[in-house]
Amino acid sequence: MKMKLEALSSNALPKPSDKDLVKSNRVSRFIGQQIEKAGNRISFRDFMQHALYEEDLGYYASKKDIIGVNGDFITAPEYGEIFSNSIAKQCAVIINEIKGATILEYGAGTGALAVGILKKLSDMGCMPEHYFIIEISVNLINHQKRKLKEEVPELASIVSWISSMPKEFSGIVIANEVADAFPFERFVRADNQVLQVCIAKNKEKFEYDLIPADKKLCDYVLSLEKIIGYKLDHGYLSEVSFEAQDWVKEVACKIKSGVFFILDYGASRNEYYAPNRNQGWTRCHFMHHAHNEPLIYPGIQDITTWVDFSILSEIASDNDMKINGFLNQSQFIINSGIEESFNNFDQLELTAQIELSRQIKLLTLPNQMGENFKCLGLSKNFILNNNLFKSRDRAYVL
Ligand SMILES: C[S@@+](CC[C@H](N)C(=O)[O-])C[C@H]1O[C@@H](n2cnc3c(N)ncnc32)[C@H](O)[C@@H]1O
């Protein structure tokens, strides 16, 4: 069954460079071949896997500028030190209480968060034993290594890149804007069945194709409807990331003691699958334009979806973790002691005062990153007992 989404034309977006266009055409040809091999359709999840992560070809594997002003989007640690300081202060509490605590950061992007955390922890005299990074993109690993060497040469030696989380891990696991980047399935609810969104080829163009969902996806949607207490409307389009769920399970099984912070844009299940969210949460980023059409420019635009924090917290609970708290990003920054940023405000140059105010606004205002971005704190054999989750904890919505 062919599906018509409200497809956005690439004319609504900025023009890519000739080099990026050539790259995107290569990625499209590769995906086209995969579609032919598979009998003229692949799942949306597989399309995304190829477009973002195909070795030497996908967006994260080979696009030069991804994060930052010259890239496609900007993340919280890129705005300045307030976000990384907030996380570092939480790390310090755990490092002081768990002997030999280690930090593990998933998907470290440009390395800005690692640099910021290490600087702050060093200032606090509270360094971890190790700082591990698990990063899927070789391109970004090189970027992270360069940045750490340039900006914190005296601290960089404790950082190492590993391919999977060690068993028996104690310390802090951090993932900022990683859960949204895992490949996900898209589905459409029809009256009598659940349909899986697939990608097919029509001449040289990609198009959506709907087929009866495989058992895993179908069972998931049916059990979701039982939990929310109503059947989704005919035509309802949404997403689920089984990869993100498997990842939380792996971390929860391997962490022996410590805290796992998942920071991302997302919502509780009730909000995520609310009747009025009938076009889902897929979000693409291209040259600082956000839109909802993943088929445009494969390999040179980012594809993401919002995170269903309820299912991630349940999987963590099922694997012996406790939900420490759930805050929106503004509250996370405020509860981490934002007033510290203003200690020397009067002594700053005017430009530095303006820059600091701008950073705080971007991180905390509801129409910027303050409301949609969340922090879920999960813990095992440890409770983060400082002020972080003492005020405006919204774990009750999960
Ligand atoms: C949106 S970026 C966020 C980067 C960084 N955390 C930040 O806040 O700027 C997503 C990051 O997750 C990484 N990533 C995606 N899938 C991953 C996986 N399965 N394992 C490790 N890293 C992954 C990407 O390469 C990238 O570094």
Side-chain angles (χ1 to χ4, degrees):
M1 190 190 304
K2 301 293 171 219
M3 176 172 87
K4 256 213 149 342
L5 281 179
E6 273 178 48
L8 177 94
S9 148
S10 60
N11 294 337
L13 297 173
K15 287 271 159 289
S17 67
D18 289 349
K19 203 169 146 223
D20 277 347
L21 253 188
V22 169
K23 178 175 148 34
S24 183
N25 290 337
R26 272 179 56 216
V27 176
S28 294
R29 273 198 302 280
F30 176 84
I31 297 177
Q33 287 158 6
Q34 303 311 305
I35 290 175
E36 278 162 23
K37 269 194 215 160
N40 207 31
R41 78 169 72 82
I42 56 175
S43 66
F44 179 80
R45 182 239 162 257
D46 288 353
F47 171 85
M48 179 172 170
Q49 171 71 34
H50 295 310
L52 295 196
Y53 300 112
E54 190 60 43
E55 212 180 330
D56 297 331
L57 201 63
Y59 177 76
Y60 279 105
S62 69
K63 195 173 183 197
K64 195 168 148 275
D65 291 312
I66 291 179
I67 306 169
V69 186
N70 297 324
D72 296 309
F73 56 89
I74 298 187
T75 56
E78 301 288 330
Y79 285 127
E81 60 193 19
I82 290 179
F83 183 77
S84 42
N85 283 354
S86 303
I87 297 187
K89 285 187 248 171
Q90 305 310 323
C91 293
V93 177
I94 301 155
I95 291 168
N96 281 329
E97 291 198 30
I98 299 181
K99 196 167 171 289
T102 290
I103 298 177
L104 165 59
E105 183 184 353
Y106 274 91
T110 64
L113 183 59
V115 166
I117 290 176
L118 288 172
K119 267 192 194 160
K120 180 73 181 169
L121 288 176
S122 166
D123 289 349
M124 296 170 82
C126 188
M127 291 295 283
E129 294 257 313
H130 301 283
Y131 193 113
F132 291 135
I133 293 179
I134 296 182
E135 170 56 66
I136 202 169
S137 158
V138 178
N139 222 8
L140 287 172
I141 290 179
N142 291 333
H143 199 115
Q144 292 153 19
K145 287 186 173 166
R146 260 197 322 273
K147 192 173 179 79
L148 281 153
K149 213 165 146 196
E150 278 167 22
E151 298 189 21
V152 281
E154 68 295 353
L155 306 173
S157 61
I158 72 155
V159 183
S160 41
W161 284 259
I162 56 176
S163 56
S164 65
M165 182 171 172
K167 286 183 197 139
E168 305 275 301
F169 177 92
S170 286
I172 308 107
V173 182
I174 308 158
N176 185 55
E177 289 204 41
V178 179
D180 69 77
F182 284 109
F184 54 88
E185 294 285 3
R186 299 178 90 190
F187 64 86
V188 173
R189 186 57 158 116
D191 276 340
N192 298 318
Q193 58 183 337
V194 178
L195 301 169
Q196 183 166 16
V197 176
C198 291
I199 309 301
K201 230 176 88 175
N202 184 357
K203 299 192 182 107
E204 285 318 300
K205 286 207 152 151
F206 294 131
E207 63 181 14
Y208 293 101
D209 194 7
L210 298 180
I211 60 168
D214 61 29
K215 186 167 178 337
K216 184 174 180 179
L217 181 56
C218 185
D219 287 352
Y220 188 81
V221 176
L222 297 180
S223 72
L224 166 74
E225 290 181 335
K226 276 202 187 117
I227 301 171
I228 56 180
Y230 53 87
K231 191 174 154 198
L232 297 167
D233 287 342
H234 178 76
Y236 191 95
L237 167 69
S238 196
E239 300 86 6
V240 53
S241 172
F242 295 120
E243 250 97 341
Q245 297 179 16
D246 292 345
W247 165 67
V248 169
K249 185 170 178 187
E250 185 191 348
V251 174
C253 289
K254 286 181 170 174
I255 196 164
K256 205 171 103 208
S257 57
V259 180
F260 179 18
F261 288 114
I262 305 176
L263 301 116
D264 223 311
Y265 34 91
S268 67
R269 177 187 287 120
N270 284 342
E271 194 185 340
Y272 202 95
Y273 296 108
N276 63 346
R277 284 309 303 203
N278 58 7
Q279 291 302 299
W281 299 88
T282 297
R283 220 64 196 128
C284 304
H285 299 270
F286 180 70
M287 294 173 81
H288 300 282
H289 283 61
H291 65 91
N292 64 356
E293 183 42 78
L295 299 190
I296 293 178
Y297 297 144
I300 58 169
Q301 75 161 352
D302 194 21
I303 305 172
T304 72
T305 187
W306 276 39
V307 173
D308 169 2
F309 279 104
S310 298
I311 186 69
L312 300 190
S313 63
E314 284 160 11
I315 287 171
S317 300
D318 290 347
N319 291 280
D320 302 327
M321 293 199 86
K322 289 206 158 50
I323 300 168
N324 245 220
F326 182 57
L327 300 170
N328 64 27
Q329 182 170 290
S330 63
Q331 207 60 44
F332 171 72
I333 305 263
I334 291 166
N335 291 5
S336 295
I338 196 175
E339 64 283 355
E340 193 189 281
S341 319
F342 295 105
N343 278 350
N344 303 317
F345 196 77
D346 289 348
Q347 279 105 61
L348 294 177
E349 298 274 335
L350 181 62
T351 47
Q353 290 183 344
I354 292 170
E355 181 47 40
L356 184 61
S357 310
R358 180 178 160 269
Q359 203 189 132
I360 290 173
K361 281 187 192 165
L362 287 166
L363 294 175
T364 61
L365 285 182
N367 62 346
Q368 299 287 336
M369 299 180 99
E371 183 61 38
N372 293 341
F373 284 74
K374 310 284 190 320
C375 168
L376 173 65
L378 303 162
S379 64
K380 193 189 272 183
N381 296 324
F382 184 85
I383 292 287
L384 196 56
N385 221 356
N386 60 354
N387 285 331
L388 182 63
F389 294 116
K390 293 262 160 75
S391 168
R392 308 219 174 183
D393 177 12
R394 299 185 69 232
Y396 61 88
V397 302
L398 292 171

